[in-house]
Amino acid sequence: MRELAELGIYYQNCVIERPIPSLDEIAEFQARQGVTLPADYLQFLRTVNGGAPTLNFFENDEAAFAIEAFHYLALENDPDDSYSIAVASEWPCEELGRKVIAIAGDGSGDQLIIDPSLGPEVRLWRHDDGSEPEILAPSFEALLAGLKPDPEEDE
């Protein structure tokens, strides 16, 4: 997996540094949500529990996405805290009619999700078009490996 220090994770405004979840907390979260999270994503949560990456842009031949922040895992959530995995996952779950895990957002409602019923791929859920989420990266590890600076921020 990519060295997470390379991502330049930082915390400001509403993006707050959260404690790393214990293995028991992760197990309880998965049981509550009825999902099993991919090992590469669990490794990330056990190292960096959310935050805004400096290297925040991912693109492939079909799509591009600029991450505002990775969501964090916690057992106790504020229903108004859109940076919580559980809270951020509610909207795409409702729209898609199945359990998905929102792992990162762009700040405008679009989410990167993992759909455990379909596999470990990271998918882009666009909140306003009603289509099925498209595969952005074949795994969370591949997503991290492909992150680079947002080209629009250089302008």
Side-chain angles (χ1 to χ4, degrees), residues 13 18 29 36 77 100 106 116 124 127 155:
N13 302 327
R18 306 292 176 157
F29 176 83
T36 300
N77 290 309
V100 299
D106 69 353
L124 172 56
H127 74 282
E155 298 174 354

Side-chain angles (χ1 to χ4, degrees), residues 3-122:
E3 287 293 325
L4 296 180
E6 291 177 36
L7 300 179
I9 300 286
Y10 64 95
Y11 307 91
Q12 68 181 26
N13 302 327
C14 294
V15 181
I16 300 167
E17 188 169 6
R18 306 292 176 157
I20 299 298
S22 70
L23 294 176
D24 288 342
E25 289 171 324
I26 289 170
E28 185 174 339
F29 176 83
Q30 291 182 113
R32 280 186 188 179
Q33 298 296 316
V35 299
T36 300
L37 299 173
D40 54 356
Y41 182 56
L42 288 174
Q43 182 180 350
F44 175 80
L45 290 174
R46 292 283 296 141
T47 308
V48 178
N49 190 19
T54 302
L55 300 181
N56 68 335
F57 189 75
F58 186 92
E59 65 183 329
N60 61 24
D61 292 338
E62 289 87 38
F65 191 81
I67 296 172
E68 176 201 27
F70 287 107
H71 303 313
Y72 71 92
L73 186 146
L75 294 178
E76 301 302 322
N77 290 309
D78 174 349
D80 296 323
D81 186 354
S82 61
Y83 296 104
S84 155
I85 294 170
V87 174
S89 298
E90 290 174 1
W91 189 12
C93 286
E94 183 178 299
E95 292 291 319
L96 295 169
R98 62 184 183 270
K99 181 54 78 175
V100 299
I101 300 299
I103 61 171
D106 69 353
S108 71
D110 292 346
Q111 301 285 328
L112 295 183
I113 64 168
I114 296 172
D115 185 336
S117 70
L118 299 177
E121 300 87 4
V122 175

Side-chain angles (χ1 to χ4, degrees), residues 40 58 119-122 135-143:
D40 54 356
F58 186 92
E121 300 87 4
V122 175
I135 295 174
L136 195 64
S139 65
F140 186 73
E141 186 172 357
L143 174 78

